Amino acid sequence: MENTNNFTIISMANIFTSSIGKKLIMSISGLFLMLFLVVHLTANSAFLFSEEAFEIACEIMATPFVTVMVPILAAGFIIHIIYALYLTLYNRRARGNERYAVPHKGKADSWSSKNMFVLGVIVLGFLAFHLTHFWADMQLQEFMGKHSANPNELMYQTFGNPIFLVLYIIWFIALWFHLTHGFWSAFQTIGFNNNIWLKRWQIIGKVFATIVVLGFITVAIVAFCRASAL
């Protein structure tokens, strides 16, 4: 039993020190972002149908389970960015200007893979703004037993501002580039790394990123149009 425990401790230590372990942490923590985006896009899509539908979706998002789950998913992605910062600084100190992105058969030559950290910082920055605005004014208030802001009014106030609209669209575009590389890279690290599945994950990643980003952009533009008509 003692040998088994020692082996477990060594294995856990290797996760944080070995190259494969570091990539695995990056991949798993990156999956938190994907789940975060799917949950939010599902709720935000209700806004396209009507204000009433969006309010119902926000009420569901304000339930205790979702209220706790959302910041956990966001925290997982924050860990993803912080660990990326650590790896970037570590790699530069050890091997020059190499990025933390995992090279694979020339794909590391893509613009996305070379700038994954910069894209991640942009995504994290706007995620922080989004959480301190929408989440803090709605789900957090419900969780604290206080009256939350009207979700439709928040949408109009935010996306009715042309500057915020443009900044959000820039965020979504950065998110697209980050996801298209990060999606297949995550599944590659987990183990789906043969030539057949790698190509499939690359295609699925682009489809996933495109659907998510176009969905968010559509909601933002619709909110801007409705706010302008008020």
Side-chain angles (χ1 to χ4, degrees):
M1 178 66 69
E2 182 178 355
N3 291 335
T4 302
N5 291 335
N6 290 337
F7 178 77
T8 302
I9 294 174
I10 294 175
S11 299
M12 290 298 296
N14 287 338
I15 291 179
F16 296 97
T17 58
S18 68
S19 176
I20 295 178
K22 293 174 182 177
K23 296 173 186 176
L24 185 62
I25 293 175
M26 289 298 299
S27 300
I28 294 177
S29 59
L31 294 176
F32 279 74
L33 169 63
M34 300 179 195
L35 291 175
F36 178 89
L37 294 173
V38 170
V39 169
H40 274 71
L41 179 59
T42 300
N44 290 354
S45 296
F47 182 79
L48 300 176
F49 297 97
S50 67
E51 292 184 353
E52 292 75 15
F54 185 53
E55 289 179 359
I56 294 175
C58 290
E59 289 178 2
I60 296 175
M61 291 288 288
T63 57
F65 174 75
V66 179
T67 301
V68 173
M69 179 182 67
V70 169
I72 290 177
L73 294 178
F77 179 56
I78 292 173
I79 292 173
H80 177 79
I81 295 298
I82 293 175
Y83 201 67
L85 174 61
Y86 162 75
L87 291 181
T88 299
L89 297 176
Y90 177 84
N91 288 336
R92 285 179 174 174
R93 192 164 56 241
R95 295 188 295 273
N97 293 323
E98 292 183 19
R99 303 287 182 173
Y100 78 86
V102 183
H104 184 86
K105 295 185 178 180
K107 284 295 178 181
D109 292 333
S110 68
W111 186 89
S112 297
S113 63
K114 288 181 178 180
N115 296 276
M116 283 293 283
F117 177 71
V118 175
L119 291 169
V121 170
I122 295 174
V123 173
L124 178 63
F126 276 93
L127 176 63
F129 169 78
H130 182 78
L131 287 177
T132 56
H133 190 194
F134 283 90
W135 178 78
D137 288 342
M138 292 193 297
Q139 290 100 327
L140 180 60
Q141 297 301 317
E142 292 284 349
F143 183 76
M144 296 173 62
K146 299 180 180 180
H147 181 70
S148 64
N150 185 292
N152 291 291
E153 290 181 0
L154 277 179
M155 291 289 284
Y156 296 143
Q157 291 173 2
T158 301
F159 296 112
N161 186 323
I163 296 177
F164 282 165
L165 176 64
V166 172
L167 289 176
Y168 262 96
I169 291 177
I170 293 175
W171 176 33
F172 296 143
I173 293 174
L175 182 64
W176 186 89
F177 281 106
H178 193 85
L179 286 176
T180 52
H181 176 81
F183 187 95
W184 69 261
S185 180
F187 284 98
Q188 175 202 25
T189 301
I190 291 174
F192 298 97
N193 55 355
N194 60 67
N195 291 333
I196 296 178
W197 270 104
L198 179 60
K199 294 178 180 178
R200 291 175 180 174
W201 287 125
Q202 289 170 354
I203 295 174
I204 294 173
K206 289 182 178 179
V207 172
F208 172 79
T210 301
I211 291 175
V212 168
V213 169
L214 285 181
F216 280 119
I217 290 177
T218 300
V219 172
I221 293 177
V222 169
F224 174 78
C225 294
R226 289 182 183 176
S228 301
L230 293 178

